[in-house]
């Protein structure tokens, strides 16, 4: 395994379900990020973890709950989502400071 | 608030042509700028990272320039190939972590 790996690649969930997205990085980085990519809109930064501490929460609704148990893993817990939350969710990692960010392949989420 | 604009939104060129993609940003106080490639339904692949103190970076047929004072960057692709067909995204980092602000991308099609 190399780089940044996200699972699952595709997820369909009902509005009352609870699910989690997983991200794992094998690059020795200590910062991890969640981004949301909706159709026709720029990628939006959702959460930033640096050294396993959340340092950014960009006004994201509480139905999205991140978790970073260690520097290699990042989760996004989802509950009672809305259809407008359907999007591609991308995880990224980087070193601390102004270093290059590397992205995973994303999870395509559909809320029905 | 930082805003990133990419022009054109879409571009179609014949194989072998050299081309330039443009990116502009409103706040020149950036740490770095990164160019990515995204294939349909996939994650982002990092192409080039330019630190704020640099003027350009090169990788193979790609050359990216940065004029921080005017808030502009260009990505030059030499001798385009059909395999270059993808969406190209520009992102600027204005934080101490890689908290990126993205443009909406340029969708490139290289035809035979």
């Amino acid at each position: 395994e190399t780089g940044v790996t996200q699972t699952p690649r595709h997820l369909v969930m009902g509005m009352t379900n609870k699910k989690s997205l997983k991200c794992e990085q094998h690059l020795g980085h200590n910062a991890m990020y969640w981004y949301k990519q909706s159709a026709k809109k720029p990628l939006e930064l959702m959460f930033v973890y640096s050294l396993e501490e959340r340092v950014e929460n960009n006004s994201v609704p509480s139905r999205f709950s991140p978790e970073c148990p260690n520097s290699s893993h990042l989760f996004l817990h989802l509950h009672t989502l809305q259809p407008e939350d359907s999007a591609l969710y991308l995880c990224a990692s980087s070193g601390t400071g102004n270093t290059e960010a590397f992205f995973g392949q994303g999870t395509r989420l559909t809320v029905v | 608030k930082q805003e990133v604009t990419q022009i054109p939104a879409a571009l179609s060129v014949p194989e072998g042509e050299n081309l330039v993609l443009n990116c502009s940003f409103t706040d020149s106080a950036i740490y770095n700028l990164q160019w990515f490639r995204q294939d349909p339904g996939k994650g982002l692949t990092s192409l080039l990272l330019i630190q704020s103190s640099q003027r350009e970076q090169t990788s193979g047929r790609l050359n990216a320039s940065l004029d921080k004072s005017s808030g502009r960057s260009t990505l030059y692709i030499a001798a385009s190939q059909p395999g270059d067909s993808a969406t190209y995204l520009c992102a600027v980092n204005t934080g101490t972590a890689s908290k990126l602000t993205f443009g909406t991308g340029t969708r490139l099609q290289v035809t035979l």
Side-chain angles (χ1 to χ4, degrees), chain A residues 13-18 62-63 78-82 85 111:
Chain A
M13 61 185 288
M15 289 189 284
T16 58
N17 290 161
K18 290 184 180 181
S62 60
R63 58 186 183 268
L78 315 170
H79 65 96
T80 59
L81 294 190
Q82 305 298 311
D85 297 321
V111 181

Side-chain angles (χ1 to χ4, degrees), chain B residues 36-82:
Chain B
F36 295 90
R37 167 191 172 132
Q38 185 175 31
D39 293 288
K42 301 292 180 67
L44 277 61
T45 299
S46 179
L47 298 174
L48 289 164
L49 170 74
I50 310 178
Q51 298 291 354
S52 61
S53 58
Q54 298 175 319
R55 297 283 293 182
E56 66 179 295
Q57 281 286 342
T58 298
S59 176
R61 294 182 294 109
L62 306 179
N63 176 277
S65 68
L66 174 63
D67 185 343
K68 198 174 80 158
S69 61
S70 67
R72 293 181 182 178
S73 176
T74 61
L75 178 66
Y76 175 83
I77 302 177
S80 58
Q81 303 171 357

Side-chain angles (χ1 to χ4, degrees), chain A residues 9 33 35 37 40-43 45 48 56 88 90 94-106 108, chain B residues 4 31-32 34 36 38 41-49 51 89 93 95-104:
Chain A
R9 293 293 308 278
Y33 313 79
Y35 285 84
Q37 187 176 35
K40 313 263 189 215
K41 292 174 67 175
L43 273 84
L45 179 64
V48 179
E56 185 97 3
L88 182 66
L90 292 159
S94 74
T96 51
N98 309 312
T99 58
E100 191 172 6
F102 291 87
F103 282 74
Q105 290 295 299
R108 171 66 64 185
Chain B
V4 180
Y31 287 88
N32 57 49
Q34 202 166 346
F36 295 90
Q38 185 175 31
K42 301 292 180 67
L44 277 61
T45 299
S46 179
L47 298 174
L48 289 164
L49 170 74
Q51 298 291 354
L89 296 163
N93 178 10
T96 52
S98 291
K99 293 184 283 188
L100 300 174
T101 301
F102 281 84
T104 50

Side-chain angles (χ1 to χ4, degrees), chain A residues 2 4 9 11-13 23 29 39 45-46 53 65 67 70 72 93 95 101 110:
Chain A
T2 58
V4 181
R9 293 293 308 278
L11 178 63
V12 179
M13 61 185 288
C23 177
H29 291 158
L45 179 64
M46 300 174 71
E53 180 180 341
S65 175
E67 178 189 2
N70 55 60
S72 298
S93 71
T110 303

